Each structure stands twice: as structure tokens, then as C-alpha cells.
Amino acid sequence: MSNNTPLVYGGHDDGKRSVRSAMWRGMKKRCPQCGKGHIFKGYTKIKDQCEECGLVLSGHEADDGPPYFTMLIAGHAIIPLMLEWKRHFHPPVGLQLLVSLTLLGLAIWWLLPVTKGALIGIQWANRMHGFSDHPDEDIEDSLRAEEPSR
């Protein structure tokens, strides 16, 4: 991307964005807008902007969501398998710990950037946090302003 490319804050369109395609692109660790540029510059470190379309990625707020969903998914996948393995084969406790912790660690290692990318895709599609169409506009703030006070 050249230095003359303007910063793009939310997207090129004012229409509805597809949550499904943005989430899928994020899960593939690609830009939720163009699907071509990479969003990570490290394991889970987000780039400041997409090198292909110029989408500013630095405004995302994934926070604790990706680790939570990663543990939820990995735990629900690995623990039932380990319980069935124990019920049918009765392995020694040391072997159970070795296998289950290894599988859980590998699942978490693989899933964390996938869930973070998916969450960033969802935020982009819904114009949340730093992904609104205008850099000084926050959709969530405007929604809160419309709530009636009690």
C-alpha cells in the first residue's frame, strides 16, 4: 500500500455489511472489509491498518472476548472426548493429564487468533467501536443517547 492511500475508517459503503462474511474473513485472519489483507502482525497482535484496502484496524475492542470464547469452545470439544476415553479405556491418571492438557493447549493455541479475528469481523460488520463510517462517530454512543431515561 502506498503512503498516498487515505485512511479508511469503517468501510467504503454506507449499506448493510454482511456479518457472516466479515466473521468468516476474520476467522481466516483476513481483513473483514476486503478479505485480502492480513489483520495480524504477530500471533494475536492486530495491525494498525489493512495493507490492501487501508481499513483502520487499530480501533477494535476485542478485549476478553477471544480468550473466553476460545476456552468455551476448546473445553466443550476436548472434555467430553477425554471423559469418553477414560470411561472406555481407563488410562493412568498421568497419561490422562498429559494427553488432555496437550490437546487442550493445542486447541487453545489454534483457536485464539481465529476467535479474535471473528470478533473483529463482527465488530466491523456492525460498525462497532473504531469501525464506524466516520472517525468521530460512535454508533454505540448514539444508541445510548436514544434510550429513554427513567
Side-chain angles (χ1 to χ4, degrees), residues 64-80 104 107-108 111-112 115:
D64 293 335
Y68 173 78
F69 289 117
T70 298
M71 290 185 294
L72 185 74
I73 295 166
H76 279 84
I78 302 296
I79 292 172
L104 202 55
I108 289 170
L111 276 171
L112 187 59
T115 56

Side-chain angles (χ1 to χ4, degrees), residues 3-149:
N3 291 339
N4 298 336
T5 306
L7 295 177
V8 179
Y9 286 94
H12 297 297
D13 61 341
D14 289 329
K16 185 171 173 67
R17 298 176 183 170
S18 170
V19 175
R20 182 177 294 161
S21 65
M23 187 174 163
W24 181 247
R25 289 172 181 163
M27 288 174 71
K28 293 190 300 185
K29 304 173 194 170
R30 301 288 184 170
C31 173
Q33 178 171 275
C34 68
K36 295 176 185 169
H38 296 277
I39 59 173
F40 294 111
K41 61 181 170 184
Y43 175 57
T44 57
K45 180 76 173 163
I46 301 294
K47 291 182 175 182
D48 291 331
Q49 73 183 81
C50 175
E51 69 269 8
E52 294 291 325
C53 67
L55 176 68
V56 176
L57 299 164
S58 59
H60 80 89
E61 292 185 20
D63 298 333
D64 293 335
Y68 173 78
F69 289 117
T70 298
M71 290 185 294
L72 185 74
I73 295 166
H76 279 84
I78 302 296
I79 292 172
L81 293 175
M82 297 311 301
L83 290 172
E84 284 299 310
W85 182 51
K86 177 177 175 36
R87 191 177 87 170
H88 292 291
F89 300 108
H90 306 290
V93 174
L95 183 60
Q96 289 178 44
L97 283 173
L98 178 68
V99 171
S100 63
L101 293 178
T102 301
L103 286 175
L104 202 55
L106 288 172
I108 289 170
W109 174 78
W110 178 75
L111 276 171
L112 187 59
V114 172
T115 56
K116 186 168 185 171
L119 204 62
I120 290 170
I122 291 169
Q123 289 178 359
W124 175 81
N126 291 309
R127 293 176 168 84
M128 297 169 65
H129 307 299
F131 296 117
S132 64
D133 291 324
H134 305 286
D136 51 348
E137 175 186 303
D138 189 353
I139 300 297
E140 292 176 337
D141 284 342
S142 65
L143 290 174
R144 278 189 226 108
E146 293 175 9
E147 292 178 4
S149 32

